[in-house]
Structure formats: C-alpha cells, structure tokens
Amino acid sequence: MKSIISLISIGLSVLFGALFPSITFAADNAVLPPSITDGPYVFLNNGDENTAYWICQSELKQTSIEANTLIRPANCGDLPEPKLHTEAVIPDLDTFTHVGKIVALSDVHGQFDIMINLLQAHNVIDADHHWNFGDGHMVMTGDMFDRGHQVNEVLWFLYALDKEAQAAGGRLHLLMGNHEQMVFRGDLRYVNERYQVSLDLLSRSYASLYDKDTEIGRWLRSKNTIVKINNFLFMHGGISPEWVERKLDISSVNHLLRQHVDDTKEVLKNNELLNFLFFTNGPTWYRGYFEDALQGSDVDSILRYFNVDHVVVGHTSQDRVIGLYNNKIIAIDSSIKNGKSGELLLINSDKLTRGLYNGDQVQL
Ligand code: ZN
C-alpha cells in the first residue's frame, strides 16, 4: 500500500513538474507567515473576466467583479481592492519635454512597504497612497517582480497610480526591467517562495499569473522600456556603446521589446538584433557604467547621440543614489530589495537631489 501511495505521489510530482517546470523559489528577509494572503488575480480568458481570485488565510476565494471594482472577501488582510481600467491598453508615449519635476526610483522587487514609505516621505503620494505629485512625472525604472514578498501589492498600487497621475496632469512611467522580462518568458528562479501557496491553490504556473490574458499582464505589456524626459534618459540597465554603433532609436526599440517580450530565450538568442536588445549589452541588462572598461568619451558619445545630459539607470545595486561621470550617469538602484531602506532621485529643472528614507533631501 505504502509503495502504491509513493508511486502515486511520484506520478503526481512528475505530472506537476511537467505542467509547471522547475521553480527554485527565492526567500527574502521576511519569515514566512503561518498563513498567506495574496492577490487579487484577474484572468481574461475562459469567460473568467468578471471573477477575481484571492488567497485569504491560505484558502482560495473568488468574488465577482461589479462595475469594474474588486471587493476583497472577509479575512483577507489588507489586500488591494483595485478599480479596473476599462479603456484599451495603448502604449505610452516615450518622449516628453517641459516637465517641471521628476521623481525616480528603481528595483522595488516586491518591497511594497519600503516603496510606500519612500513615496510618502517625499510627498509623491498621500497618506492613503493616492497621487500627490500634481503634474510631475514619476519614473519606475523596472524590476518590480521577484525576490520580495509583496509583488502583487506593488503592481496593483502602480496600476491605480498610473491612472491617478494622468488624471492630475502628471505621468507614471513604468519601465520594464530584466526581471519583468524573465517572469514573462517563464524564467522563475527569483520568485519568492511564499507564492507557491497561491500556485498550488490556483493550479497555475507563476508566469501564467501575469501572462497577456491577465489584467496586470496586459497592462504591463503596454509599457515602455526607455523614456526620454527633458534632458534625461531613463531605463533599467543602460545604453551601451553598441546601441550607438547600431544607430537604434528609442521608439522602435520600445516597440520591438513589447512585441517580443513573450518570445522564448531560444527565439531571442537566434535573432541578432533581439539577442542584443534582450541580453548583456541591451537596455535592461547593461552594467558597463560600473566597469572600468568604459571611458568618459564613450559616455559623452551616448549623451550626444540622444541629445541628453544625463542617463538614469537601476539594475546595478548601490547603497544609495549615486552620480558617476560628473552626474552624467545616475545610478538609482539603492538596494530597496534588501527590505530595510532605499532612496529616490528628485529632479527639479537641473537640480538633482537624493530623497532619503527618513524624508531628508541631500544634493547629489
Ligand atoms: Zn535588474
């Protein structure tokens, strides 16, 4: 009998492994709570458009979506209750001029509480998490997914903020990082282990929680990877000299990255241009600004090519927001991923300021 049970369990695990290819879950600093709340998840296929799925105290719940509003079930902590955007998801513009003030942050990696504290400390949002930055622009330079334990909270918050910013005459630029790309194509090595509970209850793979047939996945796939605002260029990794040699432009690259974000690694690697755009020297992975090989004249060529004075990047983690090459390159991945602190970059005309975790502001 025992051997039959073990055979069945081996069979099930083989079946599960085939359905949901191997995931090694990453833990952040938080200790796993005894029960999990997570969600909501909204799937747009199989006639499921009007249902929201929630994980409440490690149990699966579903509610119907009334008037585009999601209402959290009882005993489901303080999970977000988003209002769905009803309009078509059209790609954002990627060039802006005459913007008065800009705030930028990066690499939140599921650390919702740290992000909220930072944005509140610098009055970008109010006490109730609503947009408070007027006609200013906020730039998130990618890597919202992976490592941390509050990925959904981060995504639904930004989903709401996106619309609130526009309604106020401002903008949220949500740029794609390498971790968004990895999750979309099923590279799940850095997913926090707490999400295993949700996957088991929903009988889905992690990537399918954010595929193009989900509300959040559809919204994210409309986003850019690079944006130019005034004399600043923003992206996750950086612009390499190879970009300039290839004479690429922002809009066509944003379009290509949107178009191919669901392609497999093999497909991307087999296309010469896509292999550049999606990997080592492309805008979401490049780390050359932090390596000795790059010369100041290379940086100047990059700035000249785009007619900007600064390139702002995340991806390569620092203790704080730092300026390199006389602030021509600004590195804003301030290690929010560690779940203890972080910083913002504030830009007002050409004045560059570090927004510290305690609300203090220090000239860069
Ligand atoms: Zn990154």
Side-chain angles (χ1 to χ4, degrees), residues 107 109 142-143 177-179 236 284-285 287 314-316 333:
D107 293 76
H109 282 301
D143 278 9
N178 60 304
H179 281 268
H236 183 65
T284 60
W285 276 100
R287 296 189 199 271
H315 187 52
T316 305
D333 175 357

Short mmCIF file of all heavy atoms in Angstrom, two decimals, residues 107 109 142-143 177-179 236 284-285 287 314-316 333, ligand 1:
data_model
loop_
_atom_site.label_atom_id
_atom_site.label_comp_id
_atom_site.label_asym_id
_atom_site.label_seq_id
_atom_site.Cartn_x
_atom_site.Cartn_y
_atom_site.Cartn_z
N ASP A 107 14.04 49.11 -8.98
CA ASP A 107 14.34 47.83 -8.35
C ASP A 107 13.61 47.63 -7.01
O ASP A 107 14.24 47.30 -6.00
CB ASP A 107 15.85 47.67 -8.18
CG ASP A 107 16.56 47.54 -9.52
OD1 ASP A 107 16.70 48.58 -10.21
OD2 ASP A 107 16.95 46.43 -9.89
N HIS A 109 11.42 45.27 -6.38
CA HIS A 109 11.49 43.82 -6.11
C HIS A 109 10.53 43.37 -5.00
O HIS A 109 10.93 42.69 -4.05
CB HIS A 109 12.93 43.44 -5.73
CG HIS A 109 13.85 43.31 -6.91
ND1 HIS A 109 13.63 42.45 -7.95
CD2 HIS A 109 15.01 43.97 -7.21
CE1 HIS A 109 14.61 42.56 -8.84
NE2 HIS A 109 15.45 43.48 -8.43
N GLY A 142 11.99 49.83 -13.53
CA GLY A 142 11.96 48.38 -13.69
C GLY A 142 12.35 47.53 -12.48
O GLY A 142 12.79 48.03 -11.46
N ASP A 143 12.14 46.23 -12.66
CA ASP A 143 12.36 45.22 -11.63
C ASP A 143 11.42 45.39 -10.43
O ASP A 143 11.83 45.55 -9.29
CB ASP A 143 13.83 45.17 -11.17
CG ASP A 143 14.69 44.35 -12.11
OD1 ASP A 143 14.20 43.97 -13.21
OD2 ASP A 143 15.86 44.09 -11.77
N GLY A 177 12.08 46.05 -16.63
CA GLY A 177 13.42 45.61 -16.27
C GLY A 177 13.66 44.18 -16.71
O GLY A 177 12.76 43.52 -17.24
N ASN A 178 14.83 43.67 -16.45
CA ASN A 178 15.12 42.28 -16.85
C ASN A 178 14.26 41.28 -16.06
O ASN A 178 13.94 40.20 -16.57
CB ASN A 178 16.61 41.96 -16.68
CG ASN A 178 17.10 42.11 -15.27
OD1 ASN A 178 16.96 43.17 -14.67
ND2 ASN A 178 17.68 41.06 -14.72
N HIS A 179 13.83 41.63 -14.85
CA HIS A 179 13.01 40.67 -14.10
C HIS A 179 11.57 40.59 -14.61
O HIS A 179 10.95 39.53 -14.52
CB HIS A 179 13.06 40.97 -12.59
CG HIS A 179 14.32 40.46 -11.96
ND1 HIS A 179 14.41 39.21 -11.39
CD2 HIS A 179 15.55 41.01 -11.87
CE1 HIS A 179 15.65 39.02 -10.94
NE2 HIS A 179 16.36 40.09 -11.22
N HIS A 236 16.33 50.67 -17.40
CA HIS A 236 16.72 49.81 -16.28
C HIS A 236 18.22 49.58 -16.20
O HIS A 236 18.85 49.82 -15.17
CB HIS A 236 15.99 48.46 -16.38
CG HIS A 236 16.27 47.54 -15.25
ND1 HIS A 236 15.89 47.83 -13.96
CD2 HIS A 236 16.92 46.34 -15.20
CE1 HIS A 236 16.29 46.84 -13.16
NE2 HIS A 236 16.91 45.93 -13.89
N THR A 284 18.11 46.56 -20.71
CA THR A 284 17.66 46.06 -19.40
C THR A 284 18.74 45.29 -18.64
O THR A 284 18.54 44.92 -17.48
CB THR A 284 16.43 45.13 -19.53
OG1 THR A 284 16.78 44.02 -20.36
CG2 THR A 284 15.25 45.87 -20.13
N TRP A 285 19.89 45.04 -19.29
CA TRP A 285 20.93 44.23 -18.63
C TRP A 285 22.29 44.92 -18.50
O TRP A 285 23.13 44.49 -17.73
CB TRP A 285 21.16 42.93 -19.42
CG TRP A 285 20.20 41.84 -19.10
CD1 TRP A 285 19.11 41.49 -19.82
CD2 TRP A 285 20.24 40.93 -17.98
NE1 TRP A 285 18.46 40.43 -19.23
CE2 TRP A 285 19.13 40.06 -18.09
CE3 TRP A 285 21.11 40.77 -16.88
CZ2 TRP A 285 18.85 39.06 -17.18
CZ3 TRP A 285 20.82 39.76 -15.96
CH2 TRP A 285 19.71 38.93 -16.12
N ARG A 287 25.67 46.75 -17.75
CA ARG A 287 26.28 47.21 -16.49
C ARG A 287 27.58 47.97 -16.72
O ARG A 287 28.37 48.19 -15.81
CB ARG A 287 26.58 46.02 -15.57
CG ARG A 287 25.35 45.26 -15.10
CD ARG A 287 25.72 44.25 -14.03
NE ARG A 287 24.71 43.22 -13.86
CZ ARG A 287 23.67 43.32 -13.02
NH1 ARG A 287 23.51 44.40 -12.27
NH2 ARG A 287 22.80 42.33 -12.92
N GLY A 314 18.84 51.83 -13.17
CA GLY A 314 18.74 50.99 -11.97
C GLY A 314 19.63 49.78 -12.16
O GLY A 314 20.75 49.89 -12.66
N HIS A 315 19.15 48.60 -11.71
CA HIS A 315 19.74 47.30 -12.06
C HIS A 315 21.03 46.94 -11.32
O HIS A 315 21.18 45.82 -10.85
CB HIS A 315 19.95 47.23 -13.57
CG HIS A 315 20.39 45.90 -14.10
ND1 HIS A 315 19.72 44.72 -13.82
CD2 HIS A 315 21.42 45.56 -14.92
CE1 HIS A 315 20.32 43.72 -14.45
NE2 HIS A 315 21.35 44.19 -15.11
N THR A 316 21.97 47.86 -11.27
CA THR A 316 23.24 47.56 -10.59
C THR A 316 23.18 48.20 -9.21
O THR A 316 23.22 49.43 -9.08
CB THR A 316 24.43 48.07 -11.42
OG1 THR A 316 24.34 47.49 -12.74
CG2 THR A 316 25.75 47.65 -10.79
N ASP A 333 19.40 52.35 -8.32
CA ASP A 333 19.05 51.13 -7.56
C ASP A 333 19.74 51.23 -6.20
O ASP A 333 20.92 50.93 -6.06
CB ASP A 333 19.51 49.88 -8.32
CG ASP A 333 19.27 48.60 -7.50
OD1 ASP A 333 18.81 48.71 -6.33
OD2 ASP A 333 19.56 47.50 -8.01
ZN ZN B 1 17.78 44.27 -12.99
#
